[in-house]
């Protein structure tokens, strides 16, 4: 592998400690071991330490209120002794200030720490523990460092980061994501090129956070291929083909939803469709939201994509011949996550016309 792999040890500080799903605390899926397996698979690559970024790198894509909440969420939780009574060792929301509660006014910040989480979390599965904020910042650092490497002349760079980011919007978090790493990389790339930046999201789930962040922004084209939310899959409410962008960003968003059980052929056609769309939209840089959970055998998605198709998808994306930042998203089968990432990155290098090992 030629491209640099950006890495931060700080990812390990985030241990989700489980997911509360339909009220039941189940084992976590977004585990530190995921990144370690990828690192082991890419051991012969050139590793680059993530550079700490100023708050601006986060605030380019998130509201100050979400930033401030996440920065303090754990220490506030601990200080309020919720760890003792009722004995909850992670921040878990219990009440959500649904828009239907308010008749034309904004909710106040609640006094109780236990009530605050629901103002920013949109699900119960995305828990916050002692090192979550530091690890989420490190993931943004990794993605933005990869963008800087590419702006500095590397044809491509890969951010081997976690927690993932593509489900986090400007104002709220969920889907195992806290800060939107790929969006932060796209914002950085956008500052370095004249024309639009394309984000192509191949994670098995719709990249609803990235879509929301850039929905009205014509300078960032956001395309996602994913399992059909209409067939009962996360994020359930978003990811439909009718979501095509709004305002000045009309036409700058594209979703391709695939039926559960879909395999290589239609998935690769969708990747090619998004690549063509980015090309015809005049994209001058590419950010790939690289989840590998569309693979057959992944416990979190019903798509059935093979390792060979991940390589072919990489090739298609590389053939755009754009400055390319790849940012890790999902992928939950520890036995295959490393090889799937390696196949994709090798395909990108083939597409870019670089020799690969
Ligand atoms: C980044 C990413 O791939 N996030 C995906 C989050 C989707 N999680 C949906 C979980 C739905 C319930 N899963 C049941 C397993 C309980 N442990
Ligand atoms: Zn996913």
């Amino acid at each position: 592998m030629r491209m640099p792999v950006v890495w931060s040890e700080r990812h390990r500080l985030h241990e989700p400690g489980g997911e509360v799903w339909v009220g039941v605390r189940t084992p976590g899926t977004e585990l530190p071991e995921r990144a370690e397996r990828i690192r082991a698979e890419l051991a012969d690559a050139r590793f680059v330490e993530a550079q700490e970024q100023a708050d601006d790198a986060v605030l380019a894509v998130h509201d100050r209120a979400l930033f401030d909440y996440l920065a303090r969420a754990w220490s506030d939780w601990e200080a309020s002794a919720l760890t003792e009574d009722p004995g909850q060792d992670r921040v878990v929301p219990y009440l959500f200030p649904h828009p239907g509660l308010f008749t034309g006014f904004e909710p106040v910040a609640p006094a109780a720490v236990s009530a605050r989480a629901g103002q920013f979390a949109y699900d119960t599965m995305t828990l916050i523990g002692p090192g979550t904020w530091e690890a989420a910042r490190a993931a943004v650092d990794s993605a933005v460092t990869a963008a800087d490497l590419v702006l500095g002349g590397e044809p491509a760079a890969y951010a081997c980061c976690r927690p993932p980011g593509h489900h986090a919007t400007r104002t709220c978090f969920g889907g195992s994501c806290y800060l939107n790493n790929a969006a932060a990389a796209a914002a950085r790339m956008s500052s370095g090129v004249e024309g639009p930046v394309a984000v192509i999201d191949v994670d098995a789930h719709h990249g609803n956070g990235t879509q929301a962040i850039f929905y009205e922004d014509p300078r960032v084209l956001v395309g996602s291929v994913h399992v059909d939310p209409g067939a009962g899959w996360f994020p359930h409410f978003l990811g439909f083909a009718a979501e095509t962008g709004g305002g000045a960003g009309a036409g700058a968003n594209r979703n391709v939803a695939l039926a559960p059980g879909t395999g290589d052929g239609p998935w690769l056609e969708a990747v090619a469709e998004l690549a063509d769309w980015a090309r015809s939209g005049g994209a001058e840089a590419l950010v790939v939201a690289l989840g590998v959970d569309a693979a057959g055998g992944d416990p979190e998605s019903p798509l059935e994509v093979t390792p060979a198709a991940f390589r072919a998808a990489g090739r298609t994306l590389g053939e755009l011949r754009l400055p390319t930042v790849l940012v890790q998203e999902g992928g939950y089968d520890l036995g295959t996550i490393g090889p799937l990432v390696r196949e994709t990155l090798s395909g990108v290098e083939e597409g870019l016309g670089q020799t690969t090992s």
Side-chain angles (χ1 to χ4, degrees), residues 219-246:
R219 290 184 41 81
V220 182
L221 312 173
V222 179
S224 180
V225 53
H226 45 265
V227 64
D228 186 0
W233 291 86
F234 189 88
H236 301 282
F237 298 96
L238 294 146
F240 299 97
E243 296 152 24
T244 56

Side-chain angles (χ1 to χ4, degrees), residues 166-167 175 201 203-206 234 291-294 298 300-301 329-332:
H166 72 151
H167 296 305
D201 188 325
D203 185 280
H205 304 98
H206 175 235
F234 189 88
V292 294
D293 43 4
D298 190 284
E300 293 295 316
S301 118
E329 298 285 357
Y332 305 97

